Amino acid sequence: MNDLQHAKSLKELVHRFLETSPFQKQLTTAMVRAAWHKTMPKVVCNRTEKLYVHDNKIFLKITSAPLRHELNLNKDKILTTLHAEMAHTLLQDVVFL
């Protein structure tokens, strides 16, 4: 088995483990949180009070109403950015609270 096949099978094994893990929801939330802080500007991260994932939707509590409105207008761009950062997730929507 060459290194590429080994890496691919290891990646598939980890992916299957994450899909079947009882901690899958917490792992997904942690990965989304990390991607959010990596891809969003500091001002957005500083005003993000809470972040969790439920039913393939990201729920974000933003403390600034004008920022929440601006982010809501850019939902598609946010999802595209997060999908690029986390290719294996099935996130479908962003909900701002």
Side-chain angles (χ1 to χ4, degrees), residues 2 11-12 15 18 20-22 25 29-30 36 39 42 50 53-54 66 68 75 78 92 95:
N2 67 27
K11 183 178 178 180
E12 288 173 6
H15 184 66
L18 292 176
T20 60
S21 170
K25 187 175 178 181
T29 298
W36 181 258
T39 59
K42 189 174 181 176
K50 189 172 184 178
V53 178
H54 183 70
R68 186 180 326 114
K75 276 183 175 184
I78 291 168
Q92 298 171 347
V95 178

Side-chain angles (χ1 to χ4, degrees), residues 36 40 58 69-84 91-96:
W36 181 258
M40 292 295 128
I58 306 169
H69 177 72
E70 185 70 28
L71 291 172
N72 202 28
L73 294 175
N74 291 296
K75 276 183 175 184
D76 292 335
K77 185 176 179 183
I78 291 168
L79 277 173
T80 302
T81 302
L82 290 174
H83 281 143
L91 301 173
Q92 298 171 347
D93 196 12
V94 179
V95 178
F96 295 101

